[in-house]
Amino acid sequence: MAVVDFERAPFLVIWEVTRACALACVHCRADAVARRDPRELTTEEGFRLVDQVCSFGAPPPLLVLTGGDPMWRKDLAELVGYATAAGLTVALTPSGTAMVTRKRLEELKAAGLSRVAVSLDGPDPESHDAFRRVKGSYANTLKIIESVIDLGLPLQVNSTVSRRTLPRLREMAARVGEFPLTLWAVFFLVQTGRGASLEQITAAECEQVLGFLDDLSRRVPFGIKTTEAPHYRRLQSEREQAGAPRGPVLGRRQLRAPRAVNDGNGFVFVDHVGNVCPSGFLPMARGNVREGRLVETYRDDLVFRQLRDPDALGGRCGRCEFRASCGGSRSRAFAATGDPFAEDPLCAYEPGREIRPVAAGAPPAPARSAPLSSRPT
Ligand code: SF4
């Protein structure tokens, strides 16, 4: 794989093609609603966005079409086809609703779609539907998974870690392991949008979850990645330095970043009206693709440049030996303090401490949480 210089180009471009969605998920950063915004980028503007993504040069970034629910756009196959023909690899994150039919997936595959990522936030219908706040979402998600597998498209499952989902994490790992997955993407809550009302786990619990995921990655045939928890890399480095006995990572790694991707650093987000932000969880608009300046914004904007500078970080992240390879979640720092360069409060690491093996095994059994299915929604 060619090396990507994150100063010049992101590894991932995420485009929120719409904010419309029929679900009302408790953690939704987008505060998605069941109607489209008339200000969304048009099909033609979408094509021009794809042209700008291509302007980053080779190797081209991966393009992820997200929402809201991207299935609300009737021109989705056209957008996928245009991007694929331009040389981009395109992935899709549809919501778990009946809008995702086998026929539409077939059209998208024919247009060149490379991967489908669905969200599963509970190991059974009760827990998942309570999180998504729509009955039947679990059943719809399983139908989508079935079609994706049947069509031979690579499958990714996204799951959220929060106080609410933590008690079922081990069951979730077993459930996703029943599918022929390419990647399990585990998202660590950022308290923004509707997610602001969800309770966060503690930094100590996060450390145990990261240890659990690292152990799991050596036993399962799929890749595991964390989103908004770059300290996963720090934990893996610590374990290596401590000489803890570890097997090889078994999971397939297609479409994986060559090194840690962080907000604005290997990663750029374009919202539904074209605003260019370092992440969907870090809503600092630094430009707009309607001005045709996606590449310049990513490369030259002051905030983007500072987000790629480990010496711009504050607090523990600023003093940390791992700041270049980790850097902490900038989105979480912003959500917690209003300062995107503050320390990541979900990291338990104390810079300069003696490197020692990190306790691992099972995710923690939280004392305060009842099972999700018994909690009010
Ligand atoms: S202190 Fe910050 S940079 Fe260091 S490991 Fe934790 S999150 Fe990463």
Side-chain angles (χ1 to χ4, degrees):
M1 181 186 285
V3 176
V4 184
D5 174 1
F6 288 167
E7 291 297 326
R8 298 197 53 74
F11 179 75
L12 273 175
V13 176
I14 312 284
W15 174 22
E16 179 189 64
V17 293
T18 181
R19 222 167 239 192
C21 183
L23 302 184
C25 307
V26 290
H27 70 313
C28 184
R29 58 146 191 90
D31 282 324
V33 290
R35 65 174 178 280
R36 288 185 61 185
D37 187 329
R39 300 170 304 158
E40 281 171 10
L41 298 185
T42 64
T43 307
E44 199 52 43
E45 287 172 326
F47 293 164
R48 299 293 75 80
L49 167 55
V50 167
D51 295 343
Q52 292 177 60
V53 176
C54 293
S55 300
F56 279 112
L62 303 176
L63 178 64
V64 178
L65 304 182
T66 190
D69 182 0
M71 303 308 280
W72 280 59
R73 285 197 65 141
K74 292 192 169 58
D75 58 357
L76 195 57
E78 250 186 290
L79 295 169
V80 171
Y82 185 89
T84 305
L88 300 183
T89 299
V90 186
L92 181 74
T93 66
S95 301
T97 76
M99 288 180 95
V100 192
T101 61
R102 187 189 161 96
K103 186 166 175 294
R104 278 200 85 188
L105 286 173
E106 276 171 349
E107 282 166 11
L108 291 165
K109 186 185 176 191
L113 187 68
S114 291
R115 179 182 292 195
V116 177
V118 295
S119 294
L120 210 52
D121 290 299
D124 51 37
E126 294 73 30
S127 53
H128 174 86
D129 289 358
F131 196 82
R132 297 277 149 188
R133 297 203 300 186
V134 171
K135 207 166 163 45
S137 171
Y138 184 85
N140 283 324
T141 301
L142 290 199
K143 269 189 217 155
I144 297 168
I145 289 175
E146 205 173 291
S147 297
V148 169
I149 294 168
D150 218 34
L151 290 168
L153 278 163
L155 172 68
Q156 173 177 326
V157 171
N158 301 338
S159 304
T160 305
V161 174
S162 69
R163 164 97 20 236
R164 231 178 125 142
T165 54
L166 184 65
R168 311 291 299 273
L169 189 64
R170 181 182 279 276
E171 291 169 79
M172 274 302 299
R175 187 72 186 98
V176 300
E178 291 167 13
F179 307 120
L181 281 191
T182 295
L183 187 69
W184 188 25
V186 183
F187 165 68
F188 288 73
L189 177 71
V190 173
Q191 290 170 300
T192 189
R194 279 200 287 268
S197 63
L198 268 186
E199 197 182 339
Q200 187 65 273
I201 61 174
T202 65
E205 287 167 334
C206 179
E207 198 76 358
Q208 287 183 275
V209 171
L210 295 177
F212 169 72
L213 294 177
D214 184 48
D215 286 347
L216 187 67
S217 71
R218 285 152 218 287
R219 298 198 303 269
V220 295
F222 51 85
I224 296 177
K225 88 167 187 85
T226 58
T227 301
E228 299 299 347
H231 33 306
Y232 188 40
R233 303 246 178 178
R234 184 263 302 157
L235 176 133
Q236 290 173 318
S237 298
E238 274 194 287
R239 285 176 153 196
E240 265 154 33
Q241 288 174 42
R246 317 161 79 219
V249 173
L250 298 178
R252 287 164 284 175
R253 290 176 164 263
Q254 304 100 310
L255 302 186
R256 298 291 309 277
R259 62 182 177 87
V261 162
N262 206 334
D263 307 321
N265 186 3
F267 189 101
V268 64
F269 179 86
V270 178
D271 80 7
H272 67 301
V273 294
N275 289 318
V276 181
C277 304
S279 160
F281 302 99
L282 183 46
M284 299 176 78
R286 305 300 300 174
N288 192 292
V289 297
R290 284 185 162 122
E291 298 153 3
R293 292 177 49 81
L294 174 65
V295 174
E296 289 82 351
T297 303
Y298 177 82
R299 286 183 186 161
D300 303 330
D301 173 75
L302 182 63
V303 169
F304 272 85
R305 287 203 342 254
Q306 287 180 324
L307 286 168
R308 294 192 290 271
D309 177 5
D311 293 333
L313 301 175
R316 284 178 297 136
C317 291
R319 300 193 306 275
C320 181
E321 313 87 288
F322 296 98
R323 66 189 184 282
S325 60
C326 168
S329 164
R330 299 298 95 222
S331 295
R332 186 173 300 106
F334 181 73
T337 68
D339 175 4
F341 303 102
E343 69 182 33
D344 181 343
L346 200 59
C347 178
Y349 186 68
E350 281 300 332
R353 82 179 178 200
E354 190 188 342
I355 302 296
R356 54 184 167 68
V358 178
R368 288 183 289 155
S369 300
L372 179 55
S373 56
S374 68
R375 294 168 74 93
T377 57

